[in-house]
Amino acid sequence: MSAAAQLLTRWNGLPKAARYVFTTVPLGAIVIVGVAILLAHPPRAALFAQPLHPEQLAEVEERLAGWNVAFTLTSDNVVVDSARRNDLLLRLSLAGVPHPHLESTGEAVANIGMLTPEAVVDAQTRVGLSGDIEAGLRGIAGVDDARVIVAPAKPPEFADESTREASASVRLQLREGARLSREAIAGIRAFVAASVPGLQTSRVTILDDRGVALGDETENADAGDVQQSLQSALDAAFGNGAAIVRVRAEYSSQQTSERDVRRTPLSAQAIQRVRRSETYDGSGKRYRHLEEGEDRGSETHEFVSQLQPGGIKRLSTAVFVDETRALDLAKVRELAAATVGYDSRRGDALAIEAIDFHRDPVARKDAWWLLYGTIVSLAPALILAIGLIACARFAVPPLAVLAHSVIDRAMVLRTSKNAADFAPSRVRTMLEREPPHAAAAIISALPAATATAVLELYPPHEREAIVSRMQRRHSALLDDAQDLLRRHG
């Protein structure tokens, strides 16, 4: 007989109540687990009330993936846990994601028809061109967003008018802490100029998010740029925390001009010689004044320098050096002067001082603190393990007794069916080594005549024990109380 057939035979040999329990309990457990999973699964909702464009969807996907947030993408939206929807919207808003949709040239001219006025066509073309340029600038390192306004070239309409050259204004929104180099600014200017027909690079104005015009010159760099440059140089040279830099800049509010004229003689002699003589004749009442001048020639050099409004008028720099580092202040001064562009003629000030930096004492962790931290971190796992062990300790014995009782009942039922057709003497032989409760269960399942004949074959004291157990009412799954006490007493 195969294992499957034996298993099926044993299953059919179980009492009806046992089969019902073993069938309904697993199914009930599966249903309970399924309901718990459904209840534990959080409800989900669309993150945005309006559909997103593909580039906006890509921005949101990248940011949520960076935050390790579970989400599901759809064709035009993102599905997230509804309990976290408001929090995610706030975080995305603070991060500036997603950026506004940029209308490309194709989208701008898609609705233009044959009867559309020329002014509307030009305006839509400019909008699409600006959108294409802005989309290109968003991909530059350090640029978070951009706004471009294009003014195309305009030919003269009347004879007394002149041609208006094309121009463009670019406003860049830089990422936090980002600074564009001269090469990056020149590249942006060339990119914008090449995108607009007839636009020269000199006609492109670039502003950052502070409203400061960005150009190739570095003379008008603000104090924040100078301070950051010097701080990074000192950190790289002497290590982080070795120095603190503060820079204050005074800017000129008016345009100033300086003129320097120098004359150089052509020979070793002086450039000019003057001779004067005076005579007076009292009797003749005459006065004579003679003045002679000689100019031997010279070379004239004229220097004119102009300072535009907004330029740095004076720069004050203070460097605080940690005295515990024992740094060479002379070298620090030379490095700082070269970095900030120190100019004594301009009236710049540069102060270098070694001071004792204030440091908060670091709390030391002793062995008991480390042990406490280990116990706290392992406490949930330990509590769970102890709970499982306790549950197993109290649940396993009753379950083992129940399983043993069910198996005994199945064996008794099978033996009773097999012994129903046997002679009483053979049945007595089969029950020779069976305990009274097992013999009582088997004999009670036999026909009345056969059961009476089998009981007559037992000695009087064994027969009384079997008959007393046959007269008791007991559960189909559990042994009687005396047998349980005898087994586990």
Side-chain angles (χ1 to χ4, degrees), residues 99 142-147 171-175 207-209:
H99 289 94
V143 177
D144 187 60
D145 201 357
R147 177 64 176 167
R171 183 182 181 276
L172 300 178
Q173 183 178 351
L174 303 180
R175 295 177 182 173
L207 300 178
D208 62 4
D209 47 3

Side-chain angles (χ1 to χ4, degrees), residues 404 407-409 411-416 419 426-443 454 458-459 462-463 465-466 469 486-487:
H404 183 69
I407 294 174
D408 288 347
R409 296 301 179 188
M411 293 178 62
V412 168
L413 182 60
R414 184 172 65 252
T415 305
S416 300
R426 187 174 180 182
V427 175
R428 175 67 180 86
T429 304
M430 295 172 57
L431 300 178
E432 182 66 28
R433 298 183 178 180
E434 294 292 337
H437 69 279
I442 295 174
I443 294 174
V454 172
Y458 277 92
E462 293 185 8
R463 184 168 56 248
I466 295 173
R469 284 171 171 78
R486 180 177 54 81
R487 289 182 182 181

Side-chain angles (χ1 to χ4, degrees), residues 311-329:
I312 294 180
K313 181 180 180 181
R314 186 173 181 267
L315 199 64
S316 301
T317 306
V319 180
F320 307 90
V321 181
D322 187 4
E323 65 179 5
T324 60
R325 301 289 185 98
L327 301 179
D328 190 348
L329 298 184

Side-chain angles (χ1 to χ4, degrees), residues 315-384:
L315 199 64
S316 301
T317 306
V319 180
F320 307 90
V321 181
D322 187 4
E323 65 179 5
T324 60
R325 301 289 185 98
L327 301 179
D328 190 348
L329 298 184
K331 293 183 179 180
V332 175
R333 183 179 183 84
E334 293 179 0
L335 177 61
T339 304
V340 302
Y342 175 76
D343 188 359
S344 59
R345 297 176 300 176
R346 191 173 54 185
D348 292 353
L350 178 59
I352 311 292
E353 293 292 340
I355 60 176
D356 184 14
F357 285 6
H358 173 71
R359 295 178 177 86
D360 294 329
V362 180
R364 299 183 61 184
K365 307 299 183 182
D366 53 11
W368 291 106
W369 179 264
L370 297 177
L371 180 61
Y372 172 76
T374 304
I375 294 176
V376 169
S377 60
L378 296 179
L382 293 176
I383 294 174
L384 179 60

Side-chain angles (χ1 to χ4, degrees), residues 220 249-257 307-314:
N220 293 335
E250 298 179 10
Y251 299 94
S252 176
S253 59
Q254 58 184 358
Q255 180 176 354
T256 59
S257 177
L307 182 62
Q308 299 295 332
I312 294 180
K313 181 180 180 181
R314 186 173 181 267

